[in-house]
């Protein structure tokens, strides 16, 4: 049985309250309209995913793929009512094609494995919901898109902010000119990596904080502008002396310029104590969101002004739950044969920018 | 008689209250210990300066230099008790050497004239308090430093934040490790230029928003780190279509890297509605000041955390008044033959960085 820690208990309680309306609704949805999904890789993000599937009205956990079929596989199978015969290892994964209860997979592996398992899932005829970053290179992204297109399956990248009401509202305000003509974005997302893990290994992660944290800012700004950056300036630095950052940078800052003349400054770090924020300045107004990018117990707060006056508001990321609305959207796309809001092409465009950013950092690599 | 607008009346009332302690103290300072100062150029910043001299205990307005000796000269002479014989024009300026009531000048001219009038003042034997930016090139800065050294007069650059209690407190916290090892600074200062003025003319201003607004962030970050940046990345953009920005950029963003590995992101603009802020991230804490760089009615607010807990506070820039403490410091340096906190070398170092920033912007110039 899964031991509830204080934190997971609190979070579950909050999610349960927040999802009351969805739970009532889910009872009216026929089970044949639920998409069967299997997560690949059962780390912490997959745990969030599994809880979210449990709260969604149109998705159901019907399989598990893990390198630890006994310790992890059986534990989660029992928690979520998955048949033992639907627990796969990386070796037996390809036989998932014969499991008709599994319509789709959720790729929650280290970044360097996203490409391989997305392609293998597509070849097994399964739709793919792949966590961000999509892969560790734009070339991998292209292969993933091609494989899914060839197999006729959906490919969605896990950009949860596209399903967050606060971000959807600000996106609408930006696009409708509520802040006038937009001149500038600033964003930062900082965290601390106190011990060695796969994210600090370039071969597995693709790069440092840019791949895990900076990509939130990059993707949000690309989404809000509706443009692709054309001019890139970047600088990286590592102040840590403990030897954790031998393979990837600790901190990376970049400047982007878009064709319209919009500028953006983005920073991310694995060694900084700092807030995570997004600021948008226009000719007639501005807004700041802080916190902006964290999940969990986060309550997003925004403050600014428009021509019509002061602007302020907030929204908890668990009400509605970003992950639940994201899973629901993906399942709807599968059920209705619709294009996801954040298809593979969205992940590819981010990776193309990430590659330019690292290229621009060039000689500054510490 | 000077007509009080609502705004100047309010500000004067506030300053009067705030300076009560200083006013009481000033009565104990003998008048021969007051430095006689003459502003050169009587624009809006010089008006702030003149009011501040009136509130300082060790400085006194004893002359005026203006291109409008009748309209402006006589008006301010009458307001501040300056003799008509101590009103100079740019043509008669050099005869200021014979006026022994004038110990020093305050250079409040367009940037391109700072160098000439600083040198002419030094040659007339007067100490110089020169507004920021020090000049429009590092070469000019060097000539100003040499002229003042040769003449044996003080040269101070008007970086008022070095006299602001909130900034002094945060500087001390940063330097004493209250936020751990510092990794990053972010800063922005944005304003709107709605009509043509000398600041939009490169020949007079030296450049765009970097010279007037961005320099606050640059100087503060150099001061806080105690280092000079060694790696520069920058991008500029102009979205304005009205033709105001034919000579200088509207917006400029830059990334700086310091020898220790500290990074900084700074943005400034003449066409943005946005807050002005300074953020500092370390390994164990962080702080954000907003507003940070504006003057007038501004109440600086800061918020963050250190290892010992949450951090929050505020301070009005008019209590104590940044300009009054700055003028007082300058006058003390003259009276006590001491080096100003922000000598010419400080302005030179900023200009050397500004030149590198524009060079880095290079091909992105819009």
């Amino acid at each position: 049985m899964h031991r509830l820690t204080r934190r997971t208990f609190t979070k579950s309680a909050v999610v349960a309250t927040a999802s009351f309306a969805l739970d009532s609704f889910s009872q009216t949805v026929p089970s044949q309209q639920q998409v069967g999904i299997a997560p690949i890789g059962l780390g912490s993000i997959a745990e969030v995913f599994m809880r979210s599937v449990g709260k969604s009205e149109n998705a159901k956990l019907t399989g598990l793929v893990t390198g630890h079929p006994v310790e992890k596989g059986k534990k989660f199978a029992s928690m979520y009512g998955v048949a033992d015969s639907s627990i796969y290892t990386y070796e037996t994964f390809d036989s998932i094609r014969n499991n008709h209860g599994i319509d789709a997979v959720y790729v929650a592996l280290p970044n360097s494995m996203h490409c391989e398992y997305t392609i293998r899932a597509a070849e097994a005829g399964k739709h793919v919901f792949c966590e961000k970053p999509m892969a560790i290179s734009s070339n991998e992204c292209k292969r993933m898109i091609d494989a899914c297109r060839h197999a006729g399956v959906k490919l969605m990248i896990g950009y949860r902010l596209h399903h967050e009401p606060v971000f959807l509202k600000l996106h609408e305000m930006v696009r409708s000119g509520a802040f006038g003509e937009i001149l500038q974005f600033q964003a930062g997302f900082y965290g601390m990596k106190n011990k060695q893990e796969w994210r600090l290994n370039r071969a597995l992660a693709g790069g440092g904080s840019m791949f895990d944290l900076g990509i939130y800012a990059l993707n949000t700004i690309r989404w809000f502008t509706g443009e692709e950056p054309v001019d890139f300036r970047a600088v990286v630095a590592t102040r840590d002396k403990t030897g954790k950052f031998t393979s990837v940078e600790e901190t990376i800052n970049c400047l982007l310029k878009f064709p319209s003349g919009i500028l953006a400054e983005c920073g991310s770090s694995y060694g900084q104590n700092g807030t995570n924020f997004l600021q948008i300045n226009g000719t007639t107004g501005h807004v700041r969101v802080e916190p902006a990018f964290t999940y969990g117990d986060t309550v997003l707060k925004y403050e600014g002004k428009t021509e019509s006056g002061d602007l302020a508001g907030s929204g908890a990321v668990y009400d509605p739950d970003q992950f639940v609305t994201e899973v629901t959207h993906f399942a709807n796309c599968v059920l209705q044969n619709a294009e996801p809001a954040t298809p593979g092409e969205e992940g590819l465009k981010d990776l193309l920018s990430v590659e330019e950013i690292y290229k621009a950092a060039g000689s500054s690599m510490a």
Side-chain angles (χ1 to χ4, degrees), chain A:
Chain A
M1 186 61 194
H2 178 60
R3 193 172 64 81
L4 281 179
T5 61
R6 193 181 63 80
R7 184 179 156 88
T8 55
F9 175 77
T10 307
K11 198 185 292 178
S12 305
V14 167
V15 168
T17 311
S19 307
F20 181 77
L22 285 179
D23 281 345
S24 318
F25 176 67
S26 70
Q27 295 168 9
T28 68
V29 176
S31 67
Q32 63 269 34
Q33 292 210 8
Q34 287 191 314
V35 172
I37 309 190
I40 311 180
L42 301 182
S44 57
I45 194 73
E47 290 197 50
V48 172
F49 170 80
M50 291 187 279
R51 281 200 297 274
S52 303
V53 169
K55 297 285 170 194
S56 80
E57 80 271 29
N58 58 357
K60 191 178 169 187
L61 206 71
T62 54
L64 297 164
V65 185
T66 172
H68 306 280
V70 180
E71 306 89 317
K72 290 189 176 179
K74 282 189 181 292
K75 182 181 86 175
F76 290 115
S78 143
M79 276 179 71
Y80 290 100
V82 173
D84 277 4
S85 58
S86 292
I87 302 174
Y88 296 85
T89 64
Y90 299 116
E91 290 69 34
T92 64
F93 174 69
D94 298 309
S95 65
I96 201 171
R97 76 174 67 237
N98 306 317
N99 189 327
H100 299 296
I102 299 175
D103 303 299
V105 298
Y106 171 66
V107 180
L109 295 161
N111 306 340
S112 64
M113 299 167 77
H114 288 193
C115 178
E116 177 187 343
Y117 280 86
T118 292
I119 293 174
R120 282 168 68 178
E123 288 174 350
K126 308 304 179 188
H127 302 284
V128 180
F129 174 6
C130 177
E131 256 312 326
K132 44 63 56 182
M134 183 171 174
I136 62 171
S137 73
S138 60
N139 188 43
E140 285 189 344
C141 296
K142 288 174 189 163
R143 290 169 51 214
M144 293 159 78
I145 292 169
D146 287 348
C148 291
R149 187 180 297 134
H150 187 256
V153 298
K154 302 294 171 199
L155 173 55
M156 177 170 124
I157 312 303
Y159 293 113
R160 57 184 164 75
L161 301 178
H162 290 246
H163 306 278
E164 165 56 47
V166 165
F167 276 77
L168 287 163
K169 174 193 167 81
L170 294 177
H171 177 265
E172 167 58 25
M173 290 182 74
V174 163
R175 301 309 290 267
S176 65
F179 304 106
E181 191 171 54
I182 299 298
L183 276 278
Q184 176 139 286
F185 291 82
Q186 288 137 337
F189 195 0
Y190 310 99
M192 295 297 290
K193 293 284 181 214
N194 291 320
K195 56 183 207 296
Q196 200 50 251
E197 59 160 283
W198 69 261
R199 283 197 174 82
L200 305 189
N201 179 334
R202 183 174 299 272
L204 296 174
S209 59
M210 182 73 224
F211 272 80
D212 189 39
L213 306 179
I215 203 159
Y216 281 94
L218 171 65
N219 183 262
T220 302
I221 294 167
R222 286 187 44 260
W223 173 35
F224 277 39
T225 58
E227 302 178 34
E228 297 305 316
V230 290
D231 198 345
F232 301 84
R233 310 290 161 118
V235 62
V236 304
T238 298
R239 293 211 74 182
D240 175 82
K241 309 287 185 303
T242 67
K244 288 196 298 286
F245 296 98
T246 52
S247 171
V248 300
E249 81 287 349
E250 184 182 37
T251 301
I252 182 161
N253 287 354
C254 63
L255 301 178
L256 309 175
K257 185 172 181 174
F258 293 83
S260 62
I262 292 176
L263 299 183
E265 295 177 359
C266 309
S268 63
S269 179
Y270 278 158
Q272 286 180 39
N273 187 305
T275 63
N276 61 92
F277 69 97
L278 172 70
Q279 291 178 176
I280 308 170
N281 287 351
T283 48
T284 61
H286 64 269
V287 66
R288 174 178 173 90
V289 193
E290 178 193 327
F293 303 124
T294 36
Y295 187 66
D297 303 329
T298 302
V299 177
L300 306 175
K301 295 202 179 86
Y302 59 94
E303 209 176 297
K305 65 183 274 300
T306 67
E307 258 183 309
S308 27
D310 287 344
L311 175 73
S314 65
V317 301
Y318 48 79
D319 182 19
D321 188 288
Q322 286 180 356
F323 256 95
V324 176
T325 49
E326 191 184 20
V327 166
T328 303
H329 174 75
F330 173 69
N332 272 336
C333 290
V334 170
L335 290 169
Q336 297 163 13
N337 191 23
E339 181 74 348
T342 54
E345 287 73 9
E346 188 68 11
L348 166 62
K349 287 173 185 166
D350 274 350
L351 260 292
L352 287 167
S353 282
V354 167
E355 289 171 345
E356 292 294 331
I357 289 165
Y358 278 103
K359 201 186 297 174
S363 62
S364 83
M365 298 293 284

